[in-house]
Amino acid sequence: MGSGGVWRRIWALARWRTRRRRSGGGGAAAEGSQSRGHFRGIAWRRRAASPEGSAFLKCLASNTSEFKLQVYDPKSPSYLPILRSSIYNLRFTSSKTLKPLYIITPNHESQVPPIVVCSKKHGLKIRVRSGGHDYEGLSYTSKDPFILIDLINLRAIDVDIKDNSAWVQAGATLGEVYYRIAEKSRVHGFPAGACPTVGVGGHISGGGFGSMVRKYGMAADHVLDARLINAKGEILNKETMGKDLFWAIRGGGVASFGVLIAWKIKLVRVPPIVTVSLVDRTSEQGATNLIQKWQSVAVYKVPKELQILLQVDVVDRNTTTKGGLGRTIQASFRIFFLGRAKQLIQLMENKFPELGVKKEDCVETSWAESVVNFIGFPFGTPVDILLNRTSMPKAIFKAKSDFVTRPIPKIGLEGIWKRFLKEESPELLIGVWGGKVNEIPEKNIAFPHRDGNMYLIQYGSNWDEKEGKAASEKHINWIRELYDYMTPYVSKSPRAAYLNYRDLDLGLVKINGTTYSDPSIWGPMYFKGNFKRLVKVKGNIDPDNFFSSEQSIPLALNKYKVGFPDGRPIDILLNRPSLPKTTFKAKSDFVTRSILKAGSEGIWNRRKAPELVIDVWGGKMNQISEGKIAFPHKACNVYLIDDVSNWEEKEGSEASTKHMSWIRELYSYMTPYFSKSPRTTFINYMDLNLG
């Protein structure tokens, strides 16, 4: 389900550098009768279906409800318009991206369980899309044959002002939710994201951060109930799913556990009039010093009702700007205040006079209208723009995230600016923490990023698809280098990340069927100490791992460590010759910082039939001083790598030389990515090549 939270491209639309694109089609209209085939209750476009596809359709026909179910295949005229309608990262519109066997647009929740049951029965994956804002496209792409369930028709919203609550179906967008709340009340709102086209299904399940996070916390903190379909096709609510699963889907990402159909959310109180303001400052106007002051003020020195979001990008200087023509850094301070303009101006004059907020910079408006203004639409734009599911631009982009726990020094900021000026269209977006979001305990729901965090930072770069593959690699490598540069300035042990800003560079569960990144490395980055509980919930609710993707919650961490099949008696541990013998050569390295994706891909390109075993450091291992015992590899190490190549003895000496030369070449290639001065190794993985 789409993650949402896409505020890297929701502000200042006039500055957006990428052409705005809108795909055709917007719904799941039925095909003309002359082009349809029929099973009972199903309409689909005829094609030469794959065996598993045909079996799936027959299964679906025998289990469908009385509501006609729309099924689109790649030959249907509506297939591509529907597929592209909610793809907001155009990196995933490539012809090389595997597309779904069928797109299904259910009109009623009762139509979803048969899709789940039949997909599982016939070995097909499913992807579930509510808004299509998943940064890495996991809500509508897969490495394996799959069915796409597009929830665009499941977007009913039932607001109950007396109860201060609303039932919201997963296919609704944040804009639709905000509009329907505002229809009923000027003094109620919901503390979720700024982008109106984000789907609520994925957004809330990943946490859901917005401009009221300091006053009310995350969107997931305000979930009262949910309706979810598990791998058995059962429709569960809060009571029937149990407290562990209800805990997990609030911040742990629902796509690992089932198909989210609806949330019941708790509404919050907002004043009838709120204030928004925008102040831009360039480097020549003292932006760097202002950001330093902002870091000391925005988190701890202003009330919860005030959020001062920060956007940094590169703009062209005009002729009147000090420094002349060229490019420069611009910081945009985007202010949202739950109160009147007069109060805001007094507050800013007292706490942050350097910014120079004036009366003419402020606009008083209703809460719903503030959402429209806050995302860059001109003042006076009708509020019903929130109902437009295609109102926001689409682009090719790559993004990463970090949580920051202490102010970034001036030298660190200047290093960011230096790198920004080398990139065509970079962005830095920062949401301030503090207040309510920090007060809620980490384990209250699955979303863990609470006390101790100052702000959430997101880096992004977007580019035009006409630039081609080489340009894409250049932009992606740029953001990876920036991420590497930021290491000293952000959270540690683990370096935390926000699930709704999904980043596959952190690690994948599988690639071409081979596990290469232990989830115990990247899982805590998203979920910190809650990751182990999420793994346990996953094993209980989805033991067959049907709801899986490249970055889903694994069934169990020991699945990646133990080689014996499930069910083997524990006394196998007493069998001294229980493991196979082989001809092999091994080498080892300690890693002190994350290997960039380009480095990992270079390893995969060199791998033929080897093994790569990674053991994670940290915790107690890193806390013990190096001089305590003779074993020295303690602090600063992230993990230990053991690289092994095996071959058959009967291959002969020539083959043996080839395999050993290969692993030596790999060891040489990996030099830039491992420990230095000295390059360290593990004595238990003895290597005579060292000397």
Side-chain angles (χ1 to χ4, degrees):
M1 204 170 278
S3 293
V6 190
W7 50 283
R8 64 181 299 276
R9 59 190 188 285
I10 62 176
W11 291 331
L13 299 182
R15 290 207 300 263
W16 188 249
R17 304 179 193 280
T18 307
R19 291 179 303 168
R20 179 169 177 168
R21 302 173 185 272
R22 295 193 185 191
S23 34
E31 301 305 320
S33 59
Q34 70 275 13
S35 65
R36 287 203 303 254
H38 291 274
F39 279 129
R40 178 177 60 82
I42 299 179
W44 85 98
R45 179 70 162 82
R46 283 196 183 95
R47 64 173 293 203
S50 62
E52 66 269 25
S54 296
F56 167 78
L57 287 179
K58 291 178 181 178
C59 176
L60 202 57
S62 64
N63 288 280
T64 192
S65 70
E66 67 274 17
F67 299 96
K68 181 170 285 189
L69 182 61
Q70 297 298 326
V71 180
Y72 303 90
D73 72 20
K75 291 186 177 180
S76 163
S78 295
Y79 177 91
L80 282 178
I82 293 172
L83 178 63
R84 292 172 177 168
S85 66
S86 297
I87 295 179
Y88 278 87
N89 191 341
L90 299 180
R91 275 200 293 145
F92 305 108
T93 57
S94 164
S95 59
K96 296 181 180 179
T97 302
L98 182 65
K99 294 176 175 58
L101 287 175
Y102 302 105
I103 301 173
I104 304 178
T105 55
N107 295 299
H108 192 272
E109 70 171 29
S110 64
Q111 295 177 326
V112 180
I115 305 172
V116 172
V117 171
C118 292
S119 297
K120 184 177 181 182
K121 180 178 180 180
H122 295 286
L124 298 172
K125 294 291 184 183
I126 64 168
R127 292 292 182 264
V128 184
R129 182 169 70 179
S130 58
H133 284 267
D134 189 296
Y135 277 21
E136 298 284 8
L138 296 190
S139 64
Y140 49 84
T141 65
S142 174
K143 301 294 184 184
D144 303 305
F146 71 105
I147 306 298
L148 173 60
I149 304 174
D150 192 318
L151 300 179
I152 188 170
N153 295 329
L154 295 181
R155 59 179 195 265
I157 301 167
D158 182 14
V159 178
D160 185 344
I161 292 298
K162 290 184 178 180
D163 188 49
N164 293 313
S165 68
W167 270 105
V168 180
Q169 286 191 311
T173 64
L174 294 178
E176 290 170 332
V177 173
Y178 298 160
Y179 184 86
R180 299 306 175 196
I181 294 172
E183 273 188 324
K184 298 288 185 72
S185 171
R186 283 180 60 91
V187 294
H188 287 81
F190 185 64
C195 182
T197 57
V198 167
V200 298
H203 178 75
I204 296 176
S205 81
F209 141 75
S211 57
M212 293 194 288
V213 67
R214 290 169 46 78
K215 176 67 174 178
Y216 291 114
M218 305 295 288
D221 293 322
H222 297 267
V223 171
L224 301 172
D225 203 344
R227 292 180 66 78
L228 176 138
I229 297 168
N230 65 12
K232 297 177 182 178
E234 300 167 331
I235 300 178
L236 308 176
N237 59 23
K238 176 182 177 180
E239 182 178 346
T240 55
M241 73 176 67
K243 65 178 182 179
D244 287 337
L245 180 55
F246 186 60
W247 172 88
I249 63 176
R250 292 175 292 158
V254 73
S256 292
F257 303 100
V259 180
L260 193 285
I261 296 299
W263 299 109
K264 184 179 182 182
I265 57 175
K266 179 183 178 182
L267 307 183
V268 300
R269 301 287 292 190
V270 297
I273 296 177
V274 303
T275 304
V276 293
S277 180
L278 170 63
V279 178
D280 293 331
R281 296 288 185 266
T282 64
S283 290
E284 294 77 15
Q285 295 169 325
T288 303
N289 289 335
L290 286 172
I291 292 172
Q292 283 195 288
K293 179 64 181 288
W294 166 86
Q295 290 185 97
S296 68
V297 170
V299 181
Y300 302 117
K301 295 183 180 180
V302 296
K304 300 175 184 179
E305 290 76 13
L306 177 61
Q307 170 68 267
I308 310 175
L309 295 161
L310 177 66
Q311 175 184 356
V312 180
D313 53 11
V314 175
V315 297
D316 294 324
R317 294 193 187 102
N318 59 44
T319 54
T320 62
T321 302
K322 180 182 176 182
L325 296 174
R327 304 173 80 223
T328 189
I329 298 297
Q330 178 172 274
S332 299
F333 297 86
R334 298 185 170 274
I335 301 170
F336 173 83
F337 180 58
L338 291 166
R340 302 297 296 260
K342 183 178 180 180
Q343 297 171 275
L344 173 62
I345 293 168
Q346 291 174 345
L347 182 61
M348 296 300 288
E349 287 177 347
N350 183 34
K351 299 294 185 180
F352 197 3
E354 296 86 349
L355 190 58
V357 176
K358 301 179 176 63
K359 183 178 180 180
E360 53 267 30
D361 298 321
C362 301
V363 175
E364 292 186 331
T365 183
S366 69
W367 169 74
E369 290 168 330
S370 77
V371 176
V372 176
N373 304 149
F374 209 61
I375 59 179
F377 289 109
F379 292 108
T381 300
V383 179
D384 61 9
I385 191 70
L386 296 174
L387 300 177
N388 186 344
R389 295 177 70 96
T390 61
S391 63
M392 303 309 296
K394 299 178 180 180
I396 298 177
F397 70 91
K398 173 66 180 175
K400 289 178 170 290
S401 67
D402 266 310
F403 283 90
V404 176
T405 58
R406 59 182 181 178
I408 298 175
K410 186 174 183 179
I411 190 172
L413 296 174
E414 290 173 342
I416 300 173
W417 312 156
K418 180 180 178 181
R419 287 161 174 81
F420 262 45
L421 292 170
K422 294 179 180 179
E423 177 67 358
E424 295 170 21
S425 186
E427 285 186 318
L428 188 74
L429 301 168
I430 302 177
V432 181
W433 251 229
K436 186 66 174 180
V437 69
N438 285 35
E439 295 167 4
I440 298 172
E442 283 190 4
K443 298 185 182 300
N444 200 57
I445 61 173
F447 178 85
H449 308 290
R450 307 289 189 171
D451 190 34
N453 289 300
M454 292 182 63
Y455 48 83
L456 167 61
I457 187 171
Q458 180 184 176
Y459 330 93
S461 179
N462 64 88
W463 58 96
D464 196 292
E465 61 183 327
K466 294 187 299 184
E467 296 181 44
K469 182 179 179 181
S472 287
E473 291 177 353
K474 180 192 74 172
H475 293 296
I476 292 173
N477 286 336
W478 173 84
I479 198 169
R480 289 170 179 159
E481 191 276 332
L482 175 64
Y483 184 77
D484 194 42
Y485 164 78
M486 291 297 294
T487 301
Y489 305 113
V490 297
S491 59
K492 297 173 178 63
S493 301
R495 181 175 183 173
Y498 180 35
L499 181 63
N500 279 0
Y501 301 155
R502 190 185 297 280
D503 180 9
L504 292 186
D505 288 348
L506 302 182
L508 307 180
V509 174
K510 290 185 177 181
I511 183 168
N512 297 327
T514 302
T515 300
Y516 79 86
S517 180
D518 189 335
S520 63
I521 298 173
W522 53 263
M525 297 177 76
Y526 286 132
F527 307 113
K528 299 180 71 174
N530 291 340
F531 182 57
K532 289 184 178 180
R533 184 177 175 187
L534 285 168
V535 170
K536 184 178 179 180
V537 175
K538 171 70 172 179
N540 291 334
I541 190 68
D542 185 24
D544 298 322
N545 203 26
F546 174 66
F547 296 108
S548 61
S549 70
E550 288 83 349
Q551 211 176 65
S552 54
I553 302 295
L555 288 176
L557 295 181
N558 64 2
K559 295 285 185 182
Y560 298 86
K561 301 295 185 183
V562 180
F564 294 113
D566 292 345
R568 287 293 294 269
I570 195 170
D571 61 8
I572 189 70
L573 299 176
L574 301 177
N575 186 351
R576 293 176 69 95
S578 61
L579 294 176
K581 299 176 181 179
T582 183
T583 305
F584 71 92
K585 173 64 180 175
K587 287 181 171 289
S588 65
D589 265 304
F590 284 91
V591 178
T592 57
R593 61 180 183 176
S594 300
I595 299 175
L596 298 176
K597 187 176 181 181
S600 299
E601 289 173 343
I603 299 172
W604 314 146
N605 291 337
R606 288 165 171 79
R607 296 174 68 79
K608 297 176 183 177
E611 294 179 5
L612 189 69
V613 181
I614 302 177
D615 291 292
V616 182
W617 251 229
K620 186 66 176 179
M621 174 65 78
N622 287 35
Q623 295 167 8
I624 300 172
S625 62
E626 286 191 2
K628 183 82 171 179
I629 59 174
F631 180 85
H633 309 292
K634 305 288 188 176
C636 299
N637 288 300
V638 178
Y639 46 83
L640 166 65
I641 288 185
D642 177 23
D643 207 60
V644 184
S645 183
N646 302 274
W647 61 93
E648 295 288 338
E649 186 177 4
K650 60 184 179 182
E651 293 181 46
S653 60
E654 185 176 338
S656 181
T657 300
K658 179 189 73 172
H659 289 293
M660 286 196 284
S661 295
W662 171 84
I663 199 168
R664 288 166 184 156
E665 189 276 332
L666 176 64
Y667 184 76
S668 177
Y669 164 78
M670 296 168 87
T671 301
Y673 304 108
F674 296 132
S675 57
K676 297 174 178 64
S677 301
R679 180 173 181 175
T680 53
T681 187
F682 183 31
I683 192 170
N684 280 9
Y685 300 158
M686 185 76 70
D687 180 11
L688 295 185
N689 291 153
L690 301 179

